[in-house]
Amino acid sequence: MITIHKGVTNHTIKTQTTLLPFLLETLSGLSRNAVKSILTRGQVAVNGKTTTQHNHPLEPGDIVGITSNKVAKKTTALKGIRILYEDDALIIIHKDSGILSMADRSQTEMTAYSQLTSYVKEENKKNRIYIVHRLDRDTSGVMVYAKTEAIKLALQKDWHTIVKERTYIALVEGVITEDKGTIRSWLTESKAMKVHSHNYDNGGKLAVTHYRKIRANAHYSLLEVELETGRKNQIRVHMEEIGHPVAGDKKYGAQTNPLKRLGLHASTLSFVHPTSGKIIRYNSKTPKDFLYHSK
């Protein structure tokens, strides 16, 4: 058993079993109904993913995290974000569409950053949160924040080396005929804050995007997109460049908005943990409306 942070414990599975029997054995001091309630309230995660299924299969090496009632009450107060993982160095979250990663000076609305700051200060008023990277307001999915400035700087300094996988799901307009492809160009940003793509090195930032078609209908294609580089608006610009803008992205050429949001979701983030040196990987499921509009 490994304690990850105050109020949350991780248990490494030794033998094949299912979730409820494991919990009943591990939490033997609680009644069966109390254990079921912990599961139903979403206080249990398997390999970083919350599950409420009693019969969820467990294999040797799986990690089962159990959140205490006290911590669960704190995290339920979070709006539009959900903590996937936390330790002394990091907090990894899922962010809903419509939530800012962090406000600028002209914005005073609730953000992921402001909520996480309040969350860590409940334990110690001196605690702080540091932003490592951002997602656009209308992009949902996995994000990581640092708990110390040193961790933030370590991650940002070697971000492209540390990150092993950064994958998005994109709902784009039109039917992409190729099963997969790579887009390579140089990006520059105008004074109007719009990013432009060029197929030659004009002094801009090199951007490389790989995509794979998952499925398509007559109107939309659902893509898995992996970033080799992480430039501002990279996926949005590259999708416009190949004639298939991200659905709902009026700024970069979209004509439709079936999701009433940007059709972009950060599904997977895998990177080397800055203190343990181990590769950790967290996922956020593809939103159901992305699947509905591409079936």
Side-chain angles (χ1 to χ4, degrees):
M1 181 179 72
I2 305 172
T3 300
I4 294 300
H5 67 105
K6 188 175 181 180
V8 179
T9 54
N10 270 4
H11 304 261
T12 302
I13 301 302
K14 303 298 183 184
T15 59
Q16 190 178 53
T17 183
T18 55
L19 190 53
L20 183 57
F22 169 78
L23 293 174
L24 290 171
E25 180 181 353
T26 303
L27 305 173
S28 56
L30 300 178
S31 70
R32 186 181 182 89
N33 284 339
V35 172
K36 283 185 174 180
S37 294
I38 287 173
L39 189 55
T40 302
R41 287 195 296 265
Q43 292 174 235
V44 179
V46 178
N47 297 325
K49 184 178 178 181
T50 301
T51 182
T52 59
Q53 294 180 339
H54 292 193
N55 63 345
H56 186 98
L58 299 175
E59 301 290 339
D62 284 347
I63 304 295
V64 176
I66 305 173
T67 303
S68 71
N69 289 338
K70 182 179 179 181
V71 171
K73 288 178 181 177
K74 286 202 302 178
T75 57
T76 54
L78 300 174
K79 304 298 182 184
I81 63 175
R82 184 175 75 254
I83 294 175
L84 303 177
Y85 173 87
E86 180 182 358
D87 62 19
D88 291 337
L90 307 169
I91 294 183
I92 300 174
I93 67 165
H94 161 88
K95 181 187 83 69
D96 288 346
S97 173
I99 301 293
L100 282 170
S101 302
M102 183 179 185
D104 62 28
R105 293 178 182 177
S106 65
Q107 295 161 320
T108 57
E109 66 188 273
M110 180 180 66
T111 66
Y113 174 83
S114 65
Q115 292 189 76
L116 290 174
T117 297
S118 298
Y119 167 76
V120 298
K121 284 183 178 295
E122 286 188 27
E123 186 172 333
N124 186 328
K125 291 187 180 299
K126 294 182 179 180
N127 287 345
R128 292 187 61 188
I129 287 293
Y130 298 83
I131 193 159
V132 175
H133 67 113
R134 300 189 187 209
L135 292 179
D136 293 332
R137 178 201 290 269
D138 289 329
T139 300
S140 56
V142 182
M143 285 190 68
V144 59
Y145 290 82
K147 283 188 165 182
T148 70
E149 188 171 19
I151 293 295
K152 169 197 170 179
L153 294 175
L155 287 170
Q156 290 183 335
K157 179 182 178 181
D158 294 315
W159 184 245
H160 299 302
T161 302
I162 289 171
V163 173
K164 301 303 178 185
E165 182 183 357
R166 195 174 178 189
T167 304
Y168 289 72
I169 300 296
L171 183 73
V172 303
E173 293 184 339
V175 181
I176 291 184
T177 55
E178 303 87 358
D179 289 335
K180 59 183 180 179
T182 295
I183 309 163
R184 178 185 177 94
S185 71
W186 285 261
L187 305 184
T188 58
E189 187 173 1
S190 69
K191 292 181 179 179
M193 306 294 285
K194 184 173 181 180
V195 178
H196 298 272
S197 179
H198 310 268
N199 60 8
Y200 58 92
D201 185 353
N202 64 341
K205 295 180 179 180
L206 176 64
V208 182
T209 303
H210 307 284
Y211 66 87
R212 179 181 66 85
K213 183 170 68 176
I214 299 173
R215 65 189 192 188
N217 57 27
H219 305 288
Y220 299 100
S221 297
L222 190 67
L223 306 180
E224 180 183 79
V225 182
E226 186 169 355
L227 296 181
E228 187 173 317
T229 58
R231 309 303 185 193
K232 180 179 179 180
N233 293 169
Q234 177 175 323
I235 296 174
R236 298 167 63 183
V237 176
H238 275 172
M239 291 300 106
E240 179 188 36
E241 182 176 341
I242 65 172
H244 296 279
V246 174
D249 194 1
K250 185 177 179 181
K251 182 176 182 179
Y252 291 102
Q255 301 297 311
T256 64
N257 188 8
L259 306 172
K260 308 306 178 188
R261 55 159 288 192
L262 189 68
L264 199 55
H265 175 74
S267 60
T268 304
L269 182 62
S270 173
F271 61 98
V272 179
H273 193 287
T275 57
S276 73
K278 295 181 179 180
I279 295 177
I280 58 175
R281 186 177 190 271
Y282 281 85
N283 298 86
S284 180
K285 288 198 305 183
T286 302
K288 291 181 179 178
D289 49 356
F290 281 47
L291 299 171
Y292 173 78
H293 285 284
S294 60
K295 68 180 181 180

